[in-house]
Amino acid sequence: MKTLSFRYTIMAAISLLILTGCTTNNGDIGDILGQWQLTGISSGDEHATPDTDTRMYWSFQSTTIKVLTVSERHQTSETYGNFRISDETLFLDFPDERFPMLIPETGRQSEWQIISLSSKSMTLGKPLAGGGTQIWHFRKW
C-alpha cells in the first residue's frame, strides 16, 4: 500500500513540474505571437504585392524571430534573430552573420513602426533612406 501511495506522489510531483515549466513570458507575448505571411508592400500611393516567385514569412516566439523565404520551386532560406517591442516600435536584431539577411534594404538591426497589430493582421512601417515610409502588410498564417 505504501508503494502505491509513493508512486502516486511521484507522478503528481512530475505532473506539477511539467505543467509549471511550459510558459514563456508568463505565456503571453501578445498578438504578435505566431507566423505571419507578407501580403503586400506599399510606398506612398502605390501598393504592390510581393514577388510571385518568393513568399516571405515572419515567425515570433518569446524574444526570437525567424524570417523564412520560400521560392516558387520550394527552396527555402531562413534566418534567426531577436526582437522586442517598445512604444509601438518593433526592434529587430540579427546578430549571427552566418545567416543571410532576408529582409531587403535593412541592416542587421532595424526599427519598424507598428501601424496596426491584431490577432489576424499586422501593418509595419519601415523608414526609407531617402525619406518617407514603406508600409509592409502581413496576415496571420
Side-chain angles (χ1 to χ4, degrees):
M1 189 67 158
K2 285 185 178 182
T3 304
L4 188 59
S5 176
F6 180 72
R7 285 183 185 169
Y8 287 136
T9 303
I10 294 296
M11 287 176 22
I14 290 172
S15 298
L16 183 62
L17 286 173
I18 289 172
L19 290 174
T20 59
C22 292
T23 60
T24 302
N25 294 340
N26 293 327
D28 183 21
I29 64 168
D31 287 333
I32 201 163
L33 174 70
Q35 185 170 4
W36 298 86
Q37 181 184 25
L38 179 64
T39 59
I41 299 172
S42 59
S43 182
D45 292 335
E46 63 182 74
H47 182 81
T49 57
D51 285 342
T52 55
D53 294 345
T54 304
R55 293 180 308 275
M56 180 179 282
Y57 302 91
W58 292 14
S59 300
F60 297 90
Q61 182 176 3
S62 185
T63 60
T64 302
I65 179 174
K66 176 176 90 169
V67 177
L68 171 73
T69 58
V70 181
S71 74
E72 190 175 77
R73 295 182 178 221
H74 304 289
Q75 294 173 324
T76 62
S77 295
E78 60 187 18
T79 190
Y80 296 88
N82 304 306
F83 81 93
R84 69 182 172 86
I85 297 173
S86 178
D87 297 327
E88 300 301 315
T89 302
L90 173 65
F91 297 91
L92 301 181
D93 181 20
F94 297 93
D96 194 343
E97 294 184 8
R98 293 177 293 178
F99 289 103
M101 273 308 302
L102 299 176
I103 304 171
E105 301 175 20
T106 60
R108 294 226 167 252
Q109 296 179 338
S110 60
E111 294 180 20
W112 299 72
Q113 177 189 3
I114 300 174
I115 296 170
S116 67
L117 175 61
S118 70
S119 62
K120 296 180 181 180
S121 67
M122 174 171 64
T123 306
L124 302 175
K126 179 178 80 163
L128 297 173
T133 302
Q134 191 176 54
I135 309 298
W136 288 45
H137 305 273
F138 294 85
R139 71 179 171 126
K140 188 66 89 80
W141 185 251

